[in-house]
Amino acid sequence: MVERRSSTNPLIRAWDAVWRPTPGSVRLLALLGVIGNVVIVVSGGLVRLTESGLGCPEWPRCSGDSLVPTRNADHHAFNMAVEFGNRLITFVVLAVGVLVFVAALRLVPRRRDLVWWSLAQPMSVVAQAVIGGIVVLTDLNPAAVSAHFLVSPALLVFCVALWVRAGEGDAPARPLAGPWTRRLAALLLVAAAAVLVAGTVVTGTGPHAGDASSRRYGFDIQDVARIHGELAWVTIAFTIAVTIVLYRTGGPAAAKRRALELIGLIIAQGAVGYAQYFLGVPAGLVLLHMLGAVLMWIAAFRLFFALRDRGPMPAATPRTVAARPAEAPQPA
């Protein structure tokens, strides 16, 4: 057996990243999964903000007997294109999930936790597609729409965990901060999750529910917006508390950086949130606010993972391929 040499052909290198993976290539694929799920959140927000939620009125077909958009007198071509584009992105994210799962299976030596984290990704995308079908078949019921959005942050938990774990070793987790710091970071995650849930209720109550005729939650928009804002302030309080404790106790440098990154995102997110509230919830700011929400969610989990150490990333052990047998010498 001989080691396969690295190729300069990008297609061969992409194939090797999946079929003959290294810890570095698995981590890169995991990062693509994180990016893909952020993109699908933004594209899903675009569907809602352009009132394209029923652009493809059927599921799994788009319209009538066609899987792709066709001329339909009841639906504008733009809305159909936006909704169909969101469906296509789902397939791209599913493909990335399958590739990272195959790479985790093929990694030498195999790391069992990476296999399970990667398996959760394509399974979650399938679940998201099923919930998306329920959203269409129920004519954008606000509860189904909220669940459809919340699957993406849940899926990002698997994606971020895989991305972080692929860059670590397999040693037992060694705490890098005290128990109170870790508890505060866990409470920060709970508060961030509550903000996401409340945000879906605000959107389902407000004017951007996916279609002009779709149902809304029967809440008062000012009440749900106020609750959403109060939960955001709770998240800010936990973030500041974690940051102060990290600096006062000499916490790890990586965790301090993650805390400062999160504070920066919170400031930007708060500015966008209050701007959209006082400006009448313009669509562009709502989309930016949705992007900020998932980026904050990712940053909070990266901070949580930065509070322990599991050793360095294992060295690359590429698979080998069989060498060709030497040809027998020909007689003179």
Side-chain angles (χ1 to χ4, degrees):
M1 305 290 285
V2 297
E3 182 180 334
R4 180 185 176 121
R5 294 182 179 178
S6 177
S7 173
T8 58
N9 188 317
L11 294 179
I12 295 178
R13 295 184 66 177
W15 169 261
D16 286 345
V18 176
W19 200 244
R20 297 181 178 85
T22 63
S25 68
V26 172
R27 191 160 193 255
L28 176 59
L29 290 168
L31 177 58
L32 293 179
V34 174
I35 295 172
N37 279 278
V38 172
V39 171
I40 203 169
V41 168
V42 175
S43 68
L46 188 63
V47 170
R48 298 188 68 170
L49 296 170
T50 58
E51 297 186 351
S52 302
L54 295 176
C56 286
E58 304 292 336
W59 190 89
R61 299 181 299 274
C62 180
S63 178
D65 294 329
S66 176
L67 293 172
V68 300
T70 57
R71 184 180 297 276
N72 191 316
D74 297 328
H75 300 277
H76 195 277
F78 172 77
N79 299 120
M80 298 185 75
V82 172
E83 165 62 10
F84 185 70
N86 183 58
R87 294 187 181 189
L88 289 180
I89 293 175
T90 302
F91 283 104
V92 174
V93 175
L94 175 60
V96 172
V98 172
L99 291 177
V100 73
F101 174 61
V102 173
L105 282 176
R106 299 278 300 173
L107 186 65
V108 178
R110 180 178 295 177
R111 301 170 62 186
R112 182 176 299 178
D113 60 337
L114 298 190
V115 174
W116 286 112
W117 284 118
S118 61
L119 175 61
Q121 296 191 31
M123 298 301 292
S124 300
V125 175
V126 172
Q128 190 177 51
V130 172
I131 297 174
I134 296 173
V135 169
V136 174
L137 297 177
T138 57
D139 293 331
L140 306 187
N141 181 283
V145 174
S146 295
H148 188 45
F149 169 81
L150 291 174
V151 170
S152 291
L155 179 52
L156 277 169
V157 175
F158 304 127
C159 295
V160 174
L162 178 63
W163 179 34
V164 173
R165 285 291 296 119
E168 298 177 325
D170 293 321
R174 179 174 62 89
L176 299 178
W180 273 108
T181 307
R182 300 197 302 275
R183 291 192 188 109
L184 285 172
L187 290 173
L188 169 61
L189 288 176
V190 174
V195 171
L196 288 173
V197 174
T200 64
V201 177
V202 173
T203 305
T205 306
H208 303 297
D211 188 82
S213 60
S214 63
R215 292 174 51 193
R216 266 61 164 182
Y217 286 120
F219 306 118
D220 182 85
I221 184 63
Q222 294 185 350
D223 291 340
V224 293
R226 183 172 60 253
I227 294 173
H228 179 58
E230 290 170 354
L231 289 172
W233 279 109
V234 172
T235 305
I236 293 171
F238 279 125
T239 304
I240 293 175
V242 171
T243 305
I244 291 174
V245 172
L246 284 172
Y247 275 88
R248 287 183 63 87
T249 60
K256 293 177 183 177
R257 289 195 301 270
R258 301 292 175 262
L260 294 178
E261 291 169 2
L262 181 56
I263 289 176
L265 286 169
I266 287 174
I267 293 173
Q269 182 75 339
V272 172
Y274 279 104
Q276 70 176 1
Y277 179 78
F278 289 111
L279 294 177
V281 202
L285 288 181
V286 174
L287 191 64
L288 191 60
H289 197 60
M290 293 180 67
L291 173 62
V294 292
L295 292 180
M296 282 180 54
W297 182 241
I298 293 170
F301 263 96
R302 294 187 71 198
L303 171 59
F304 182 78
F305 285 128
L307 297 177
R308 88 282 186 277
D309 177 67
R310 300 198 64 174
M313 182 172 66
T317 309
R319 287 180 174 268
T320 55
V321 295
R324 292 181 178 179
E327 295 183 359
Q330 298 292 328

Coordinates of all heavy atoms in Angstrom, one line a residue, residues 1 19 24 55 74 83 126 132 151-152 163 171 207 210 221 244 271 303 330:
M1 N 0.8 -1.2 0.0 CA 0.0 0.0 0.0 C 0.9 1.2 0.0 O 1.9 1.3 0.7 CB -0.9 0.0 1.2 CG -1.8 -1.2 1.4 SD -3.1 -1.3 0.1 CE -4.2 -0.1 0.7
W19 N -13.9 11.5 0.2 CA -13.6 10.1 0.1 C -12.4 9.6 0.8 O -12.2 8.5 1.3 CB -13.6 9.6 -1.3 CG -13.9 8.1 -1.5 CD1 -13.0 7.2 -2.0 CD2 -15.1 7.4 -1.1 NE1 -13.6 5.9 -2.0 CE2 -14.8 6.0 -1.5 CE3 -16.3 7.8 -0.6 CZ2 -15.8 5.1 -1.3 CZ3 -17.2 6.8 -0.4 CH2 -17.0 5.5 -0.7
G24 N -8.8 18.1 8.8 CA -8.9 19.4 8.3 C -10.1 19.5 7.2 O -10.8 20.5 7.2
G55 N -45.8 31.0 -3.0 CA -45.4 31.1 -4.4 C -45.4 29.8 -5.1 O -45.8 29.7 -6.3
D74 N -52.7 32.6 -10.5 CA -52.9 33.0 -9.1 C -51.7 33.4 -8.4 O -51.7 33.9 -7.3 CB -53.6 31.9 -8.4 CG -55.0 31.6 -8.9 OD1 -55.6 32.5 -9.4 OD2 -55.4 30.4 -8.9
E83 N -39.8 31.4 -3.8 CA -40.1 30.2 -3.0 C -39.4 28.9 -3.5 O -38.8 28.1 -2.8 CB -41.6 29.9 -3.0 CG -42.1 28.5 -2.5 CD -41.7 28.2 -1.1 OE1 -41.2 29.2 -0.4 OE2 -41.8 27.1 -0.7
V126 N -34.0 16.9 6.4 CA -35.2 16.1 5.9 C -36.4 16.5 6.8 O -37.5 16.8 6.3 CB -34.9 14.6 6.0 CG1 -36.2 13.9 5.7 CG2 -33.9 14.2 5.0
G132 N -41.6 22.1 6.2 CA -41.9 23.1 5.2 C -43.1 22.7 4.4 O -43.9 23.6 4.0
V151 N -36.3 25.1 13.3 CA -35.5 23.9 13.0 C -34.0 24.4 12.6 O -33.1 23.6 12.9 CB -36.1 23.1 11.9 CG1 -35.2 22.0 11.4 CG2 -37.4 22.5 12.4
S152 N -33.9 25.5 11.9 CA -32.6 25.9 11.5 C -31.6 26.2 12.7 O -30.5 25.8 12.7 CB -32.7 27.2 10.6 OG -33.3 26.8 9.4
W163 N -18.3 21.4 13.7 CA -17.2 22.3 13.3 C -16.2 22.4 14.4 O -14.9 22.3 14.2 CB -17.8 23.6 12.9 CG -16.8 24.6 12.5 CD1 -15.7 24.4 11.8 CD2 -16.9 26.1 12.7 NE1 -15.0 25.6 11.5 CE2 -15.8 26.6 12.1 CE3 -17.8 26.9 13.3 CZ2 -15.5 28.0 12.1 CZ3 -17.6 28.2 13.4 CH2 -16.5 28.8 12.8
A171 N -9.4 13.9 23.8 CA -9.1 13.8 25.2 C -10.3 14.2 26.0 O -11.2 14.9 25.5 CB -7.9 14.7 25.5
P207 N -46.5 42.3 10.2 CA -47.0 42.3 8.8 C -46.3 41.3 7.9 O -46.7 41.2 6.7 CB -46.7 43.7 8.4 CG -45.6 44.1 9.3 CD -45.7 43.4 10.6
G210 N -45.5 36.0 5.5 CA -45.3 35.1 4.3 C -46.3 35.3 3.2 O -45.9 35.0 2.1
I221 N -49.0 43.3 18.8 CA -47.7 43.4 18.3 C -46.8 44.1 19.3 O -45.6 43.8 19.5 CB -47.6 44.1 16.9 CG1 -46.2 44.1 16.4 CG2 -48.2 45.5 17.0 CD1 -45.6 42.7 16.1
I244 N -17.3 39.7 32.1 CA -16.7 40.3 33.3 C -16.0 39.2 34.1 O -14.8 39.3 34.5 CB -17.7 41.0 34.2 CG1 -18.2 42.3 33.5 CG2 -17.1 41.4 35.5 CD1 -19.3 43.0 34.2
A271 N -29.3 47.6 17.7 CA -29.5 48.8 16.9 C -30.5 48.5 15.8 O -31.4 49.3 15.5 CB -28.2 49.3 16.4
L303 N -18.7 30.5 22.2 CA -18.3 30.9 23.5 C -18.4 29.8 24.5 O -17.5 29.5 25.3 CB -19.1 32.1 24.0 CG -18.9 32.5 25.5 CD1 -17.5 32.9 25.7 CD2 -19.8 33.7 25.8
Q330 N 11.3 -8.6 -18.9 CA 11.2 -9.3 -20.1 C 12.5 -10.0 -20.5 O 13.6 -9.4 -20.3 CB 10.7 -8.4 -21.3 CG 9.4 -7.8 -21.0 CD 8.3 -8.8 -21.1 OE1 8.4 -9.8 -21.8 NE2 7.3 -8.6 -20.2

